Amino acid sequence: GEKMEYNFATERGRVLRGRTEFEGGKYSGEQIKRVDEKTLNVSNGSFSTCDLEENPHFHFRSRKMKIIVNDKIIAKPIVFYFGKVPLAILPFGWFPLQTGRHSGLIVPRYGQSTLEGRYIRGLGYYWATNDYVDAQATVDFFDRAGWVLNGSTRYNHRLKNFSGSISGAYTRQDFQLTDRKERFWRLNVSHSQQLGVRSRLSVAGSFYSSSNFNRYLGGSREEQLAQRITSNATYSTNIGSGSFSVNLSESKDLKNGSFQRTLPRVSLNFGQRQLFNSQKKTKRKGATTPSNNTEERPWYENLYYSYSSTGEYNLSRGADSGATTQTVGRANHSLSLSLNSRYFGWLTLGQSLPLTSDWFDRTRSYSVVEDM
């Protein structure tokens, strides 16, 4: 500060035109009074994350602020300035100063582009609802375009074995340089849950109103270049020593509109197991003492089998504007029989017989046309 005063008798003091930093944010005030050990009163205070010390690109300003050290800031009213122009006002505000996971204001990022002009990204609020759920909402402002609203929520309950997230975005932009208007939305959903002891459900989906969403509004270079989205849902369960699953999926190219869908894909698998149950037999050798009794297995008890089957129904469409939707149904089955026999106590011979079958939902007939 430019001037500091302190009263040793009352343990109170004040700082004129003081400033400080906390976790990337810059705070300043025309007058800061120390009320007690943990409480400060600030008049005409401001807050910004802009790197400029003088004339920041954006800042929040409040006529009255109360700072409770390592706890929170209470301010009223709050005016948001873009440069020196006021854009929004709130009657009061509350900002946390704790560390760790807690609710509070999300610090925005400042930047500038040729098409959108100066912008602020990520201005919003994070809400730590409880130990299992949190949510956040942010908004991006562009002085030559408009705004983009983003929201998300996450949940994770380990005791009940489920977790997931929901996120979305909506944009309302009017580009001044290109005279283009955009009204886009996006929704992403994911959920995973254990159903009982044997079963599990997993769902993940992405939905876009326009193929240009990532191109214009992607937050990173990888997201801007991504042109394919995938959605799928899978249910799986154990059946004895085998497993069963059902899957629905879709892969879509945002650029040309082509897609591949699987509605559904069903799989059934049984690992190797004995074809006939074991029946113990005893063969007497030499004396009748228990130590001379040996167990002998019949040959058919060494027969094992394994089985797997998969069936799916696919729909696809190419990138051509006049392309029609193609459908294909198929299934394949695989059965394997194996026999392992041991001779002379040290020689083991194994034989196997694999059987496979492929099914399709159509047939084609061919004929030979002899040259005339």
Side-chain angles (χ1 to χ4, degrees):
E2 296 183 6
K3 183 178 180 181
M4 299 182 182
E5 298 176 353
Y6 184 76
N7 189 317
F8 288 94
T10 61
E11 295 185 348
R12 294 186 177 185
R14 67 174 182 172
V15 179
L16 300 181
R17 288 171 290 282
R19 59 185 181 274
T20 187
E21 294 187 13
F22 179 78
E23 292 189 351
K26 297 179 176 62
Y27 300 84
S28 63
E30 291 187 2
Q31 183 171 258
I32 303 174
K33 291 184 178 180
R34 182 181 185 276
V35 179
D36 55 41
E37 186 178 353
K38 292 188 176 181
T39 305
L40 304 173
N41 289 338
V42 183
S43 61
N44 295 322
S46 67
F47 163 75
S48 177
T49 58
C50 181
D51 295 333
L52 298 180
E53 295 288 345
E54 301 292 338
N55 300 320
H57 293 103
F58 68 95
H59 68 279
F60 296 88
R61 193 167 187 84
S62 176
R63 186 167 53 88
K64 294 181 179 181
M65 299 172 61
K66 174 177 284 189
I67 300 177
I68 302 177
V69 179
N70 296 327
D71 189 4
K72 57 180 171 288
I73 296 177
I74 304 171
K76 63 176 185 179
I78 299 177
V79 183
F80 172 62
Y81 286 84
F82 201 87
K84 296 183 179 181
V85 180
L87 293 182
I89 184 171
L90 293 174
F92 66 93
W94 174 81
F95 308 93
L97 293 178
Q98 307 101 327
T99 58
R101 182 176 181 268
H102 59 273
S103 301
L105 183 71
I106 299 176
V107 178
R109 307 183 308 274
Y110 172 82
Q112 187 171 358
S113 69
T114 304
L115 181 62
E116 298 167 329
R118 292 181 296 178
Y119 62 79
I120 293 178
R121 292 181 181 270
L123 174 63
Y125 190 79
Y126 173 78
W127 182 26
T129 310
N130 52 44
D131 293 339
Y132 311 107
V133 182
D134 63 7
Q136 73 176 35
T138 61
V139 63
D140 303 337
F141 290 104
F142 307 89
D143 66 348
R144 293 182 184 175
W147 51 268
V148 180
L149 181 64
N150 298 274
S152 65
T153 181
R154 300 176 300 175
Y155 53 91
N156 187 353
H157 204 303
R158 295 182 179 178
L159 297 179
K160 296 185 178 181
N161 294 322
F162 68 85
S163 62
S165 65
I166 302 173
S167 63
Y170 176 77
T171 175
R172 183 183 179 88
Q173 292 185 305
D174 300 322
F175 293 91
Q176 300 176 5
L177 296 180
T178 60
D179 195 23
R180 187 179 77 244
K181 296 183 179 181
E182 295 178 353
R183 307 291 185 268
F184 298 154
W185 60 263
R186 175 187 64 186
L187 178 65
N188 296 324
V189 179
S190 67
H191 179 79
S192 179
Q193 183 171 359
Q194 185 74 28
L195 304 175
V197 179
R198 297 176 176 269
S199 305
R200 188 169 190 84
L201 175 66
S202 299
V203 179
S206 299
F207 310 93
Y208 288 71
S209 65
S210 173
S211 60
N212 292 323
F213 193 100
N214 284 348
R215 177 183 174 187
Y216 295 128
L217 301 173
S220 63
R221 178 62 61 182
E222 291 76 13
E223 188 175 357
Q224 292 172 0
L225 296 177
Q227 293 297 327
R228 182 169 291 275
I229 58 174
T230 302
S231 302
N232 68 80
T234 303
Y235 170 79
S236 60
T237 185
N238 294 328
I239 305 175
S241 61
S243 62
F244 173 79
S245 66
V246 179
N247 174 262
L248 307 175
S249 65
E250 179 187 61
S251 178
K252 185 176 182 180
D253 193 305
L254 296 175
K255 187 176 181 179
N256 55 38
S258 63
F259 66 83
Q260 296 85 37
R261 294 173 183 163
T262 301
L263 303 171
R265 176 184 174 92
V266 182
S267 299
L268 179 64
N269 295 279
F270 287 96
Q272 189 178 65
R273 59 187 304 181
Q274 202 172 15
L275 186 61
F276 301 102
N277 293 331
S278 299
Q279 297 179 0
K280 296 181 179 180
K281 292 185 178 181
T282 302
K283 181 179 179 181
R284 185 182 301 272
K285 299 178 69 175
T288 59
T289 58
S291 60
N292 291 332
N293 292 338
T294 61
E295 296 180 355
E296 186 180 81
R297 298 177 61 183
W299 67 270
Y300 56 83
E301 291 186 4
N302 293 321
L303 279 172
Y304 290 85
Y305 77 94
S306 61
Y307 174 77
S308 64
S309 178
T310 301
E312 61 183 28
Y313 188 74
N314 298 321
L315 296 89
S316 62
R317 187 175 65 193
D320 298 336
S321 58
T324 59
T325 302
Q326 304 292 327
T327 61
V328 175
R330 67 185 65 177
N332 62 76
H333 311 274
S334 177
L335 174 65
S336 178
L337 299 175
S338 62
L339 174 63
N340 295 319
S341 302
R342 191 169 185 178
Y343 303 94
F344 312 114
W346 56 270
L347 178 62
T348 301
L349 298 178
Q351 302 87 39
S352 64
L353 175 64
L355 303 173
T356 60
S357 176
D358 295 319
W359 298 358
F360 299 90
D361 65 344
R362 66 201 63 189
T363 60
R364 291 183 178 181
S365 299
Y366 296 91
S367 60
V368 178
V369 178
E370 298 181 357
D371 295 336
M372 299 298 293

